[in-house]
Amino acid sequence: AAKKQRRNAYKIFDQDMMEAKQDYLQIEAYLQTAIENDEFELYFQPKLDLKTNKISGMEALLRWHHPILGNVPPNKFIPIAEETGVIWKIDKWVLKNACIQNKKWAESKMAQQLRVSVNISPIQFSHPDFTEMVKHVLEETGLEPGLLELEITETTVIDNTEECIKNVETLRELGVGVSIDDFGTGYSSLNYLKRFPFDYLKIDQSYVREMFNRKEDMAIVKAIITLAKDLNLKVIAEGVEDSDILECLKDLDCDEIQGYYISRPLSSPDFETMMKLMKRQEELRLLKNTL
Ligand code: C2E
Ligand code: MG
Ligand code: MG
Ligand code: MG
């Protein structure tokens, strides 16, 4: 019976593998035409400044609505896009559209000017033409460089240290911000931190979400905040899902937070509505104070 079971297990495994492969091939094929077919949309998740209690910026997050596959999450299609090289086109599309949208918002007086952050894939970031592309997109869209930030993961830095340092320096000269995403999950050596002129460390949400349940996670969050302060970097925590964690991060002197407790990622119209509501609330509050 054990043998039979094992054989069945293999069968299931084979079938899973085949389905996964088919999935992969389908996604790969459909990705090629996703831009032309207008299937991508940018969502925006606000970041809250814990010192001012105001929205300080937002992260652009890519959404793919496919007519047959439905909504495919980025964790599923971004790795495939990276392997097949189509990521270059996608990241460029994201960058351009995030800049266009933020330029509109900056001019609309919807709020004070906000900084939009865009996730950049490792291969893309260490490409020698990358900074030229960014410069071109900024010129083309007219967005002030100070209103753009790029998020890269630790592994990007480790794998291509020299090219990366050059690119970060060039971006900083342009006035574009650079932050390290998912900090704490990538690599054990912190040596690279001395050599890079970053703006932000983003504490990975896996540490933040379980802060109260696992004392190791709490220790790591505290250590990252202290490290960031000592290195003169700003620090932002991702994955804040309730007010207890918000209060705790405030006490720990974390600069900014992002997470479902503040807001899920929103479509542009929803983001706009939220910002307008917040502005109106603020105006009413000020009005009440003068009455
Ligand atoms: P990331 O850059 O670390 O983005 C944060 C992810 O956490 C987002 O998932 C966001 O929706 C989710 N999140 C935010 N707050 C919370 C929370 O409180 N709780 C929980 N459980 N989740 C939260 P999303 O949008 O599915 O993106 C996943 C990853 O895909 C991103 O991780 C990023 O690495 C990648 N990605 C997304 N958009 C792009 C893009 O335009 N270009 C590239 N290259 N990568 C992208
Ligand atoms: Mg990110
Ligand atoms: Mg992250
Ligand atoms: Mg991530």
Side-chain angles (χ1 to χ4, degrees), residues 59 119 151 181 202:
E59 177 172 7
N119 293 285
E151 297 192 4
D181 203 355
K202 291 190 83 173

Side-chain angles (χ1 to χ4, degrees), residues 75 153 181-182 204 238:
N75 283 332
T153 55
D181 203 355
D182 304 342
D204 191 66
E238 310 186 271

Side-chain angles (χ1 to χ4, degrees), residues 50 59 151 154 179-185 200-209 211 217-229 234-240 245 249 252-258:
L50 289 174
E59 177 172 7
E151 297 192 4
E154 271 181 288
S179 56
I180 306 244
D181 203 355
D182 304 342
F183 187 74
T185 59
Y200 276 94
L201 287 186
K202 291 190 83 173
I203 310 173
D204 191 66
Q205 47 178 288
S206 61
Y207 301 116
V208 177
R209 288 217 301 269
M211 259 171 82
D217 286 355
M218 178 67 88
I220 290 168
V221 170
K222 281 185 184 168
I224 295 177
I225 294 174
T226 307
L227 178 71
K229 300 279 152 188
K234 288 243 188 185
V235 61
I236 170 162
E238 310 186 271
V240 177
I245 292 188
L249 288 165
L252 292 173
D253 209 21
C254 185
D255 298 299
E256 295 179 28
I257 58 165
Q258 193 180 338

Side-chain angles (χ1 to χ4, degrees), residues 14-208:
D14 273 356
Q15 206 170 0
D16 278 356
M17 290 253 292
M18 237 157 64
E19 273 166 20
K21 177 112 199 260
Q22 209 165 31
D23 235 34
Y24 184 101
L25 291 174
Q26 252 187 352
I27 290 178
E28 180 183 1
Y30 288 143
L31 270 178
Q32 302 295 334
T33 51
I35 293 180
E36 289 95 292
N37 295 343
D38 209 18
E39 291 161 5
F40 284 141
E41 183 182 6
L42 285 184
Y43 269 47
F44 296 90
Q45 187 178 37
K47 299 177 180 180
L48 183 78
D49 186 321
L50 289 174
K51 306 274 146 57
T52 61
N53 265 323
K54 285 199 171 126
I55 302 297
S56 55
M58 59 285 186
E59 177 172 7
L61 292 158
L62 187 56
R63 296 294 176 257
W64 183 22
H65 316 288
H66 188 268
I68 295 162
L69 301 177
N71 294 337
V72 189
N75 283 332
K76 194 155 185 189
F77 71 82
I78 294 283
I80 299 176
E82 285 174 342
E83 271 177 56
T84 59
V86 71
I87 192 70
W88 178 262
K89 239 168 68 176
I90 295 178
D91 274 0
K92 192 173 167 189
W93 184 93
V94 171
L95 190 64
K96 188 173 164 185
N97 285 279
C99 288
I100 290 174
Q101 183 59 75
N102 200 27
K103 167 93 177 159
K104 270 192 209 145
W105 282 336
E107 285 172 348
S108 75
K109 311 233 160 47
M110 167 182 85
Q112 86 276 25
Q113 299 199 325
L114 301 173
R115 209 182 200 192
V116 69
S117 68
V118 173
N119 293 285
I120 301 295
S121 287
I123 350 162
Q124 166 100 326
F125 191 83
S126 36
H127 194 285
D129 295 338
F130 178 67
T131 54
E132 272 307 307
M133 195 264 276
V134 175
K135 218 197 262 175
H136 179 76
V137 169
L138 285 169
E139 280 164 9
E140 199 183 12
T141 61
L143 182 73
E144 205 184 294
L147 297 182
L148 176 66
E149 181 183 316
L150 303 176
E151 297 192 4
I152 59 175
T153 55
E154 271 181 288
T155 38
T156 317
V157 182
I158 307 303
D159 294 344
N160 311 280
T161 312
E162 294 315 314
E163 201 61 53
C164 253
I165 294 183
K166 250 202 329 225
N167 283 351
V168 175
E169 280 168 352
T170 312
L171 289 165
R172 291 294 303 264
E173 277 162 27
L174 282 175
V176 173
V178 181
S179 56
I180 306 244
D181 203 355
D182 304 342
F183 187 74
T185 59
Y187 202 71
S188 53
S189 164
L190 297 174
N191 195 41
Y192 72 90
L193 284 175
K194 311 189 284 206
R195 303 186 56 206
F196 283 84
F198 295 119
D199 299 270
Y200 276 94
L201 287 186
K202 291 190 83 173
I203 310 173
D204 191 66
Q205 47 178 288
S206 61
Y207 301 116
V208 177

